[in-house]
């Protein structure tokens, strides 16, 4: 088969009378950083929620690593190897940073009730491995010093990093990031870019929603532009950037939208 | 002072800890004899306190760990009690040994836990509380009415002459003298209850600091994020209901054996609320807090019962306010003070404390 890790075909999603996604289709290749851009309300986060099983969709669907994702629950999709972050950060706010990442290991570990009660050797070894891996991941995203801090008290940028560490803990093949640079300053964004390049170099494919065009242009191999739920352009950032339809969606679209 | 002692190497923290544990162990072992010198009634009260601590620990799994508010928890206690009573009493003329029945009771209660959990998986907070409250009442009403057309539960009359725990001819209900010490029935029960309670504490602590315990925490914090991280929330929630219910089932079986008589009246809503109050007073999610809350709420009312009356007699020459009234008054006051000054409980878990001091609510 081709290098496509994720294939999306003819995806429709309606909210009542609103067509939030219409006939959206794209492929993401292994090892790629694939951008998803578009004006506010274009359907980017809806697409994420459909992909990760939070929303059911009306037609079309996803095939991931050769397997259809239709009808799977979010936890099953995470188990297949898709991990995500949220636009409005959704950490386990009152737990420590370390605990957050350790929870991410849930899907790749097995200890059950009886293992926990009897504290068998296998369980103890697994626990130690979970903690070790979680610490490594905190180190990887650069917030190891914050391991024991309460998640919601971390600075904003660190919370975004922690969400990435937690997602990486599930050993994803595809890491889906919903506006990871939102609210970051220029330095933090630069560090984020380095981190994402490293994640890709270490073999994880990335799907990225982002409004920071500098970041998108510098990081993504290809981007898909959504507008009112339809894909209006796809290709390398430079080409897409000069596409008249994209320019209209971002600039002229605002005027048209106001008139409508 | 403490630092000085440590320097002299008399009381290193580790040693101090072991010394404390040894002291507590000795106290717990000696307690029933001290209590029985005051009156055997106090040993019975201690036994009930242990039983309720056990129950509170079970409810702590559901409410404290998984964050699922359950107002019908006493139903599982009832199921366990009736399972024991039906299998070890003249009612059906069955007399199975207790070590067979207690696991059966746990299993049946566990099934009821899943039965309650399955349809309520999508509910949270107040809505879940209402459904569980209804469930508790349904179970009680069933027990009250299952005397016709086939007499299963003997209705409101309850089931009496329930077998005590026994190994062969060694019965837990008889008095006995071992190495010069008089062991009354309640004292013998005390030790077996204490052993089971220790077991329950270990199970609670181990569950809390495990993969499953973390998954419960994750669900309590943010269910959507937990699912996105690959936690099968359906399974994990049912597990919490099932575990909590099993605790209730075992406690119910012990209750039936100790009392030798049970009726639906023992399993009313107030009992559910009492157990929940123990968990909340002590500190949801913190095992030691729950133990403290349960012991306090079991003993203090009894102490009042025995002191308020004589105190009024000596002060006013007659009893002006009934002990029961004062009990509820103090109980209400305690709850109000708690909510004002220690909303997370007397010994709150660190995480719960943070939850309750949240500066502003985040959107769900």
């Amino acid at each position: 088969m081709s290098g496509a890790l994720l294939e999306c075909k003819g995806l429709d999603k309606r909210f009542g009378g609103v067509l939030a996604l219409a006939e959206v289709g794209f492929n993401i290749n292994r090892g790629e950083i694939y951008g998803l851009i578009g004006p506010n309300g274009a359907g980017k986060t809806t697409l994420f929620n459909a992909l990760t099983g939070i929303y059911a969709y009306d037609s079309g669907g996803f095939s991931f690593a050769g397997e259809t994702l239709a009808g799977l629950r979010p936890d099953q999709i995470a188990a297949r190897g898709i991990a995500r972050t949220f636009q409005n950060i959704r950490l386990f706010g009152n737990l420590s940073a370390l605990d957050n990442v350790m929870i991410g290991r849930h899907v790749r570990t097995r200890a059950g009730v009886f293992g926990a009660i009897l504290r068998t050797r296998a369980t103890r070894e697994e626990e130690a491995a979970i903690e070790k891996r979680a610490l490594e991941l905190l180190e990887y995203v650069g917030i190891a010093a914050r391991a024991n801090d309460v998640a919601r008290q971390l600075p904003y940028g660190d919370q975004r990093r922690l969400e990435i560490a937690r997602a990486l803990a599930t050993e994803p093949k595809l890491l889906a990031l919903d506006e990871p640079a939102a609210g970051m300053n220029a330095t933090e964004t630069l560090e984020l870019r380095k981190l994402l390049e490293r994640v890709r170099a270490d073999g994880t494919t990335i799907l990225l929603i982002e409004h920071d065009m500098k970041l998108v242009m510098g990081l993504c191999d290809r981007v898909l532009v959504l507008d009112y739920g339809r894909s209006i352009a796809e290709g390398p950032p430079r080409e897409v950037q000069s596409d008249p339809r994209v320019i209209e969606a971002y600039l002229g679209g605002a005027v048209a939208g106001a008139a409508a | 002072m403490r630092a000085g002692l440590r320097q002299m190497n008399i009381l290193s923290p580790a040693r101090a800890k072991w010394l404390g544990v040894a002291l507590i162990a000795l106290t717990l072992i000696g307690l029933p004899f001290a209590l029985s010198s005051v009156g055997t009634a106090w040993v019975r009260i201690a036994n009930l306190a242990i039983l309720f601590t056990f129950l509170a620990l079970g409810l702590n799994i559901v409410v404290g760990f998984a964050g699922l508010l359950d107002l019908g928890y006493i139903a599982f206690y009832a199921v366990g009690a009736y399972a024991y009573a039906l299998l070890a009493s003249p009612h059906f003329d069955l007399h199975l040994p207790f070590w067979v029945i207690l696991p059966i009771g746990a299993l049946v209660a566990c099934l009821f836990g899943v039965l309650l959990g399955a349809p309520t998986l999508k509910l949270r907070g107040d809505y879940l509380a209402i459904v569980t409250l209804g469930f508790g009442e349904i179970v009680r009403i069933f027990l009250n009415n299952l005397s016709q057309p086939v007499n299963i539960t003997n209705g409101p009359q309850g089931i009496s002459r329930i077998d005590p725990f026994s190994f062969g001819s060694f019965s837990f209900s008889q008095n006995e003298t071992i190495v010069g010490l008089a062991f009354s029935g309640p004292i013998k029960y005390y030790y077996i209850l204490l052993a089971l309670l220790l077991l329950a504490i270990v199970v609670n602590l181990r569950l809390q600091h495990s993969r499953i315990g973390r998954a419960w925490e994750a669900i309590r914090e943010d269910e959507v994020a937990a699912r996105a991280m690959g936690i099968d929330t359906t399974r994990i929630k049912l597990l919490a209901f099932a575990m909590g219910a099993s605790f209730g089932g075992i406690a119910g079986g012990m209750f039936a054996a100790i009392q030798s008589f049970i009726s639906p009246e023992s399993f009313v809503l107030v009992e559910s609320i009492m157990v929940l109050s123990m968990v909340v007073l002590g500190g949801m999610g913190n095992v030691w807090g729950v133990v403290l809350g349960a012991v306090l709420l079991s003993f203090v009312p009894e102490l009042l019962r025995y002191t308020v009356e004589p105190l009024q007699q000596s002060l006013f020459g007659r009893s002006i306010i009934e002990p029961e009234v004062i009990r509820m008054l103090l109980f209400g006051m305690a709850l109000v003070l708690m909510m004002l000054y220690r909303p997370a409980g007397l010994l709150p878990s660190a995480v719960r404390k943070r939850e309750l001091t949240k500066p502003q609510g985040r959107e769900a």
Side-chain angles (χ1 to χ4, degrees):
Chain A
M1 59 173 262
S2 66
L5 177 65
L6 180 75
E7 289 175 45
C8 172
K9 268 189 209 147
L11 189 70
D12 284 351
K13 168 71 190 170
R14 280 173 198 284
F15 291 107
V18 180
L19 196 56
L21 293 171
E23 292 281 313
V24 175
F26 60 92
N27 289 345
I28 300 178
N29 299 322
R30 279 173 210 277
E32 202 171 24
I33 297 185
Y34 192 87
L36 188 57
I37 62 172
N40 285 326
K44 305 180 296 289
T45 298
T46 305
L47 178 68
F48 255 47
N49 286 338
L51 170 66
T52 52
I54 291 175
Y55 290 162
Y57 32 85
D58 300 303
S59 61
F62 298 95
S63 136
F64 181 69
E67 188 187 1
T68 175
L69 296 182
L72 294 184
R73 298 189 310 263
D75 56 284
Q76 293 171 319
I77 288 171
R80 298 290 188 287
I82 300 179
R84 68 171 292 178
T85 65
F86 294 86
Q87 186 178 357
N88 44 346
I89 303 174
R90 296 191 85 139
L91 288 166
F92 306 117
N94 297 298
L95 309 185
S96 71
L98 181 65
D99 278 338
N100 268 275
V101 185
M102 284 174 77
I103 288 167
R105 294 297 298 156
H106 182 92
V107 71
R108 301 293 167 222
T109 47
R110 319 180 26 177
V113 166
F114 293 105
I117 292 173
L118 302 174
R119 206 162 270 190
T120 56
R121 185 144 164 229
T123 307
R124 276 178 284 138
E125 282 170 0
E126 190 182 89
E127 273 296 294
I130 290 171
E131 192 175 342
K132 183 164 168 275
R133 181 71 191 133
L135 283 168
E136 283 168 8
L137 282 165
L138 286 174
E139 180 87 51
Y140 186 85
V141 301
I143 52 171
R146 298 284 195 166
N148 293 316
D149 291 9
V150 178
R152 74 173 151 97
Q153 287 166 1
L154 292 177
Y156 195 73
D158 287 355
Q159 291 194 18
R160 291 258 178 229
R161 285 161 180 275
L162 179 55
E163 244 198 336
I164 294 173
R166 185 181 67 176
L168 286 175
T170 68
E171 291 172 25
K173 297 190 188 92
L174 177 71
L175 178 64
L177 304 171
D178 198 346
E179 295 193 31
M184 284 188 172
N185 62 32
T187 326
E188 284 173 327
T189 306
L190 190 69
E191 279 172 27
L192 176 73
R193 183 178 162 176
K194 281 185 202 153
L195 173 64
L196 295 184
E197 273 167 355
R198 218 173 123 199
V199 170
R200 185 247 296 266
D202 290 338
T204 307
T205 309
I206 296 175
L207 169 60
L208 178 72
I209 293 182
E210 190 47 69
H211 279 302
D212 185 328
M213 282 308 140
K214 215 176 128 205
L215 182 67
V216 172
M217 295 304 155
L219 198 58
C220 295
D221 302 304
R222 289 188 302 146
V223 295
L224 174 73
V225 189
L226 287 183
D227 189 31
Y228 293 111
R230 292 173 192 280
S231 57
I232 55 170
E234 194 206 24
R238 295 289 155 214
E239 282 174 28
V240 165
Q241 209 174 13
S242 51
D243 189 309
R245 276 172 306 174
V246 176
I247 295 168
E248 197 198 305
Y250 271 91
L251 299 173
V255 181
Chain B
M1 170 73 192
R2 230 169 128 197
L5 281 174
R6 212 173 294 159
Q7 259 171 11
M8 283 186 283
N9 206 13
I10 294 169
L11 216 60
S12 69
R15 268 200 211 175
K17 192 181 158 196
W18 281 114
L19 195 69
V21 169
L23 273 176
I24 291 171
L26 276 177
T27 312
L28 286 177
I29 290 170
L31 187 67
F33 291 100
L35 286 175
S36 67
S37 67
V38 185
T40 308
W42 282 99
V43 185
R44 286 184 211 279
I45 290 168
N47 284 350
L48 278 181
I50 297 180
L51 213 52
F52 270 89
T53 311
F54 193 95
L55 264 183
L57 284 172
L59 184 61
N60 184 44
I61 295 177
V62 186
V63 178
F65 294 168
L68 304 163
L69 185 50
D70 185 350
L71 283 183
Y73 186 65
I74 211 73
F76 306 122
Y77 188 55
V79 166
Y82 269 88
Y84 190 96
L86 295 178
L87 293 175
S89 74
H91 184 63
F92 285 145
D93 211 18
L94 287 170
H95 297 281
L96 300 183
F98 76 92
W99 66 85
V100 175
I101 311 178
L102 283 188
I104 292 178
L107 209 70
V108 175
C110 175
L111 279 177
F112 271 79
V114 175
L115 211 65
L116 168 65
T120 57
L121 281 168
K122 287 196 161 48
L123 303 179
R124 283 194 77 88
D126 309 355
Y127 303 99
L128 180 64
I130 296 291
V131 176
T132 53
L133 189 152
F135 175 81
E137 285 299 283
I138 289 169
V139 167
R140 186 180 61 81
I141 292 167
F142 257 96
L143 294 174
N144 223 351
N145 292 291
L146 272 182
S147 52
Q148 287 169 324
V150 186
N151 186 2
I152 301 174
T153 62
N154 209 23
Q157 280 101 49
I159 297 174
S160 50
R161 287 189 293 145
I162 300 166
D163 298 349
F165 283 5
S166 61
F167 287 109
S169 63
F170 181 87
S171 165
F172 277 85
S173 65
Q174 281 152 13
N175 295 330
E176 215 154 337
T177 306
I178 304 167
V179 288
L181 281 172
F183 281 82
S184 64
I187 292 185
K188 285 196 262 180
Y189 272 121
Y190 173 88
Y191 288 112
I192 197 164
L193 286 170
L194 190 65
L196 280 167
L197 176 63
L198 286 178
L199 209 65
I201 291 175
V202 170
V203 168
N204 248 260
L205 286 172
R206 287 190 168 181
L207 278 176
Q208 185 174 18
H209 301 287
S210 72
R211 172 173 173 267
I212 303 293
R214 279 194 301 271
W216 283 333
E217 247 175 349
I219 289 179
R220 209 181 63 209
E221 285 278 317
D222 187 334
E223 206 171 317
V224 172
R227 269 157 62 201
M229 290 304 115
I231 292 171
D232 182 349
T233 49
T234 305
R235 221 183 121 249
I236 292 291
K237 275 192 197 176
L238 281 181
L239 204 59
F241 271 117
M243 288 299 300
S246 313
F247 269 68
I250 294 173
M254 297 191 294
F255 175 72
I258 294 174
Q259 300 285 313
S260 83
F261 166 74
I262 56 166
S263 74
E265 238 172 83
S266 306
F267 310 107
V268 289
L269 176 64
V270 171
E271 300 288 319
S272 279
I273 292 173
M274 202 66 191
V275 180
L276 184 65
S277 302
M278 291 171 177
V279 175
V280 174
L281 172 74
M284 279 183 278
N286 180 7
V287 173
W288 299 114
V290 170
V291 171
L292 177 72
V295 170
L296 275 180
L297 280 192
S298 301
F299 271 108
V300 171
E302 298 299 333
L303 272 176
L304 284 176
R305 197 201 300 268
Y306 283 91
T307 52
V308 164
E309 189 92 22
L311 191 73
Q312 290 190 52
Q313 287 286 352
S314 65
L315 279 180
F316 313 112
R318 65 193 171 92
S319 179
I320 297 170
I321 309 170
E322 276 177 48
E324 188 61 22
V325 175
I326 293 198
R327 216 176 109 188
M328 289 322 273
L329 187 75
L330 288 176
F331 189 64
M333 258 171 60
L335 282 182
V336 171
L337 289 176
M338 274 276 309
M339 289 304 121
L340 283 176
Y341 297 108
R342 293 195 78 91
L346 295 174
L347 287 178
S349 81
V351 174
R352 281 291 189 166
K353 206 170 168 185
R354 277 177 226 137
E355 280 171 22
L356 286 162
T357 53
K358 196 175 278 187
Q360 71 258 352
R362 260 178 33 188
E363 75 277 30

